[in-house]
Amino acid sequence: MGEDCGGNGDLTANLRCRSTGDPQLDKAVHRWLTWDKNQWTRAQVESLVAEAQWDDLRTRLGSRLSFGTAGLRAPMGAGFNRINDLTVIQSTQGLWSYLSRYFADLSRGVVVGFDTRGQVESGCSSQRLAKLTAAVMLSRDVPVHLFSTFVPTPFVPYAVKKLGAAAGVMITASHNPKEDNGYKVYWCNGAQISAPHDKEILRSIEEQLEPWSASCWDEELVESCSLRTEPLTQINSCYMEELASLCFHRDLNRSCPLKFVHSSFHGVGHVFVQQAFQTFGFHPPIPVPEQKDPDPNFPSLRCPNPEEGESVLELSLLLAERENARIVLATDPDADRLAVAEKSDGCGWKVFTGNELAALLGWWMFFNWKENHPDPADTGSVYMLATTVSSKILGTIAHTEGFHFEETLPGFKWIGNRIHELSKTGNTVIFAFEESIGFLCGSMVPEKDGVSSAAVVAEMASYLHNKSLSLNQQLHNIYLTYGFHVSKTSYVVCHHPPTIQKIFGRIRNFDGEGSYPKSCGGVSIVHVRDVTTGYDSSQADLRSVLPVSRSSQMITFTLQNGVVATLRSSGTEPKIKYYTEFCAPPGKSDRSSLEEELTKVTDALLDEFLEPERNNLIRRFV
């Protein structure tokens, strides 16, 4: 590792000289120890070299981060494939390089926000990483709108649009485990970046790996530079003012007898959900005291993901029982997702799935839209959107009611960009969702938003309560009107990426080379769509209508009995997710028989195609 060798007794210089026996790894170690100025992450690499932990070093230094369905996301710590000071500086240098080529003038600036994550052993926190992001931009004389405190993720794209910024960066890992952090990039239209911007930014990062100067490491630069502005007061005020446009029954809300409990899951949501409720005329929801304040260790949660359901809502449900509250709301740590539970009339709690909540919110948003637009001709410009792995319930409602419904690839970036395209042609998206409890009511921000959704759910519950209906009863009414849509969503954990490749390769050559499975659980498969390869047997030209996405795995099967089943690799976690749905026609309302048939297909999908035991997959147990 030759350079900087000498007998000066300097530990880092001596470590640079120690050969790993692998020239590529030697080069990577040398680069890290030369470039990294963070004492904690430098110490991690120095320790691994001193202890000859070559395999660990190869894992950390042998590859780089790439954009998944939600930006860059990885564990915090030393390494080119982890989130840390150096990789954030490199990413921001690449982002600046691409933006400076794309925009003639960057005086419009960049928005930077952050959540409450942090890790002592690597010296990384979302706030520190946000300041370093800002420092890189400021070192190139780009104005930066840096929030002074943590904000919900949707505040960054909202600010990008409101301030006319060139781009936005949010430092967050959303609902991932506490070890993780992330770097989410938004384009000037407020939507998360997609092709070709993501690939071009990665290419620009590769061209700008060495930190430009010491100023890139100077997080104090944001305190002294005149190009830094603080947008929180303006953005929060504008957001809450615009949020009022989603409130349709303020007088009813003011007299609402229902009590609501809210958990912010040790994240950013408490203050903002309280304000959203006040905007709608409600009394503030009762906060879960153990989870109200930010804590990057998430001490009261085994997993900071409200999508896991009742097992992670335990404290919220206990508080609701004590307070006689009928509705529990939980926002994930960056407040872009929302979980909802309702006290059952008998006993226990009904925790709604993302698909069930979408049925309710879709119905609610169209119900109120019709109230304010009595001319049926207006419906022709109304849209609802959902990712293709989500329930088809909005499509069924659209078919009956006359508005438009479209599917996108998984990931809200596709929804956000489609909202932007539709708005340019005079159309209005009044609701969009993804099954993983990500909802957008209206289109004030092209991103899922747990803050606004919490207030909208509260108003819907209040309205229904005034009609002597619960949320669950109204969901049943929706299914009676449009047909039952019974769905299952889960996952298996796979920490070995080659195994995921092998599993999907086997599916693509199931009955011989290039031949997909013909049946699942004894039910014939009538159509196969493989978005990874661009194949769709239902199309005359056998080409998928959805864009090809070769960076991830996703295959959808349509069965003869009407079940639609999808297998896909996660873009942010070591998981293979599976989604199944039975869309029954109106009148076929024996839910238990529908669920029994769906369970049979789901179990077969898992056992026949994924083979968990044979492939050492970890089944989800909640």
Side-chain angles (χ1 to χ4, degrees):
M1 292 161 66
E3 237 176 288
D4 297 320
C5 294
N8 59 7
D10 178 72
L11 172 63
T12 300
N14 290 334
L15 287 171
R16 284 199 195 99
C17 301
R18 182 173 181 181
S19 176
T20 67
D22 178 343
Q24 287 296 108
L25 185 56
D26 285 348
K27 182 179 180 182
V29 170
H30 180 269
R31 280 185 161 189
W32 187 272
L33 294 177
T34 302
W35 294 343
D36 187 20
K37 307 300 180 192
N38 176 312
Q39 60 178 321
W40 294 279
T41 47
R42 281 170 62 84
Q44 288 177 6
V45 170
E46 288 170 349
S47 175
L48 291 170
V49 173
E51 296 168 11
Q53 297 292 321
W54 310 139
D55 287 343
D56 196 350
L57 281 167
R58 281 190 189 90
T59 299
R60 291 169 177 263
L61 302 175
S63 61
R64 297 198 58 79
L65 299 171
S66 60
F67 287 100
T69 51
L72 305 174
R73 199 174 286 183
M76 289 177 276
F80 292 122
N81 66 351
R82 302 204 172 194
I83 296 291
N84 50 64
D85 291 8
L86 180 56
T87 55
V88 164
I89 287 171
Q90 290 174 327
S91 299
T92 309
Q93 288 181 168
L95 177 61
W96 172 86
S97 178
Y98 181 63
L99 291 176
S100 65
R101 292 197 301 269
Y102 195 91
F103 295 100
D105 179 15
L106 285 180
S107 62
R108 59 203 294 187
V110 170
V111 175
V112 181
F114 56 93
D115 67 9
T116 59
R117 286 177 178 261
Q119 186 184 69
V120 173
E121 55 266 37
S122 64
C124 293
S125 70
S126 293
Q127 183 172 31
R128 174 180 169 84
L129 298 175
K131 287 183 175 182
L132 293 176
T133 300
V136 171
M137 290 292 178
L138 293 171
S139 75
R140 284 296 191 264
D141 297 323
V142 176
V144 176
H145 311 285
L146 172 66
F147 287 99
S148 58
T149 188
F150 55 80
V151 291
T153 286
F155 270 46
V156 168
Y158 181 80
V160 168
K161 290 191 69 178
K162 184 61 64 175
L163 300 173
V169 174
M170 177 69 185
I171 306 296
T172 179
S174 190
H175 59 283
N176 271 38
K178 66 180 181 180
E179 295 79 13
D180 291 1
N181 215 326
Y183 186 96
K184 215 169 187 179
V185 181
Y186 294 90
W187 198 240
C188 59
N189 61 9
Q192 288 179 53
I193 58 167
S194 58
H197 303 310
D198 51 1
K199 300 294 187 295
E200 291 299 321
I201 292 171
L202 281 176
R203 185 175 291 115
S204 297
I205 293 171
E206 294 283 353
E207 296 168 354
Q208 305 279 334
L209 291 178
E210 183 172 357
W212 292 328
S213 65
S215 61
C216 295
W217 297 88
D218 184 10
E219 60 177 300
E220 298 307 315
L221 183 62
V222 302
E223 310 301 336
S224 58
C225 184
S226 62
L227 288 174
R228 181 265 171 118
T229 58
E230 210 295 62
L232 180 60
T233 301
Q234 177 191 355
I235 293 304
N236 190 51
S237 175
C238 291
Y239 175 92
M240 294 300 166
E241 185 178 323
E242 202 168 336
L243 178 61
S245 67
L246 297 177
C247 178
F248 304 104
H249 307 277
R250 185 172 281 100
D251 289 342
L252 199 59
N253 298 343
R254 288 196 181 101
S255 59
C256 175
L258 288 177
K259 287 184 178 180
F260 301 90
V261 160
H262 170 241
S263 171
S264 52
F265 268 41
H266 298 291
V268 308
H270 170 70
V271 171
F272 301 98
V273 170
Q274 295 266 315
Q275 290 182 37
F277 264 60
Q278 291 168 352
T279 297
F280 269 54
F282 286 109
H283 294 296
I286 304 164
V288 178
E290 301 92 334
Q291 299 172 341
K292 175 175 72 71
D293 297 323
D295 190 327
N297 291 313
F298 307 111
S300 71
L301 293 161
R302 63 169 185 80
C303 166
N305 184 1
E307 193 184 350
E308 295 290 342
E310 195 162 348
S311 64
V312 292
L313 296 174
E314 183 179 5
L315 289 175
S316 304
L317 301 179
L318 286 171
L319 177 62
E321 292 279 6
R322 291 197 302 271
E323 295 285 348
N324 196 29
R326 289 191 59 86
I327 306 290
V328 164
L329 306 164
T331 46
D332 68 342
D334 69 327
D336 65 347
R337 296 171 190 246
L338 177 72
V340 178
E342 179 181 59
K343 184 70 184 287
S344 299
D345 290 331
C347 60
W349 289 83
K350 162 69 176 176
V351 180
F352 294 93
T353 68
N355 287 331
E356 290 171 335
L357 270 177
L360 283 162
L361 286 168
W363 162 79
W364 176 249
M365 293 304 294
F366 188 66
F367 169 76
N368 287 290
W369 190 89
K370 278 200 304 184
E371 290 285 304
N372 293 289
H373 299 82
D375 185 351
D378 292 342
T379 308
S381 62
V382 172
Y383 278 74
M384 292 194 195
L385 307 176
T387 59
T388 189
V389 295
S390 303
S391 173
K392 316 301 179 190
I393 183 65
L394 298 186
T396 303
I397 297 174
H399 181 74
T400 302
E401 301 292 347
F403 62 86
H404 299 278
F405 170 71
E406 285 189 11
E407 289 186 341
T408 71
L409 286 175
F412 228 88
K413 64 183 180 183
W414 300 102
I415 288 177
N417 280 291
R418 186 60 182 146
I419 289 172
H420 177 68
E421 291 171 5
L422 288 167
S423 69
K424 290 192 296 187
T425 53
N427 294 295
T428 303
V429 176
I430 62 171
F431 181 65
F433 87 104
E434 59 183 5
E435 52 72 39
S436 51
I437 59 172
F439 312 103
L440 173 60
C441 300
S443 53
M444 58 184 272
V445 52
E447 174 66 289
K448 54 185 177 287
D449 185 354
V451 175
S452 60
S453 297
V456 171
V457 167
E459 181 172 75
M460 176 170 56
S462 170
Y463 177 88
L464 290 170
H465 182 76
N466 192 55
K467 302 289 185 185
S468 301
L469 288 169
S470 67
L471 292 174
N472 200 30
Q473 287 170 333
Q474 179 57 25
L475 178 64
H476 187 75
N477 291 340
I478 291 168
Y479 287 150
L480 286 176
T481 302
Y482 300 105
F484 275 79
H485 286 59
V486 183
S487 59
K488 289 183 180 293
T489 300
S490 194
Y491 58 81
V492 292
V493 176
C494 180
H495 292 289
H496 190 235
T499 297
I500 295 177
Q501 297 288 338
K502 184 184 79 171
I503 288 169
F504 281 90
R506 174 177 170 267
I507 293 171
R508 294 188 178 100
N509 300 281
F510 201 82
D511 290 323
E513 188 173 348
S515 176
Y516 292 86
K518 303 287 193 301
S519 65
C520 180
V523 182
S524 295
I525 293 172
V526 293
H527 292 302
V528 177
R529 183 186 65 200
D530 188 341
V531 171
T532 309
T533 65
Y535 171 77
D536 188 343
S537 67
S538 70
Q539 300 297 312
D541 60 1
L542 302 181
R543 292 185 178 182
S544 171
V545 176
L546 290 174
V548 175
S549 181
R550 300 192 188 281
S551 60
S552 60
Q553 304 285 344
M554 189 170 82
I555 302 176
T556 299
F557 307 95
T558 302
L559 278 63
Q560 197 168 41
N561 61 357
V563 171
V564 178
T566 296
L567 295 170
R568 67 176 279 256
S569 57
S570 171
T572 58
E573 299 166 287
K575 294 175 179 178
I576 300 175
K577 296 186 175 182
Y578 54 95
Y579 314 78
T580 56
E581 183 174 33
F582 198 143
C583 305
K588 192 174 181 180
S589 56
D590 183 358
R591 184 169 186 133
S592 61
S593 66
L594 296 174
E595 288 182 340
E596 185 179 336
E597 193 164 354
L598 185 66
T599 298
K600 177 186 171 186
V601 171
T602 306
D603 290 346
L605 184 78
L606 188 61
D607 294 333
E608 295 174 14
F609 297 169
L610 298 186
E611 300 181 302
E613 284 66 39
R614 183 176 182 180
N615 290 306
N616 297 313
L617 307 178
I618 303 168
R619 294 176 185 259
R620 176 193 185 195
F621 291 104
V622 179

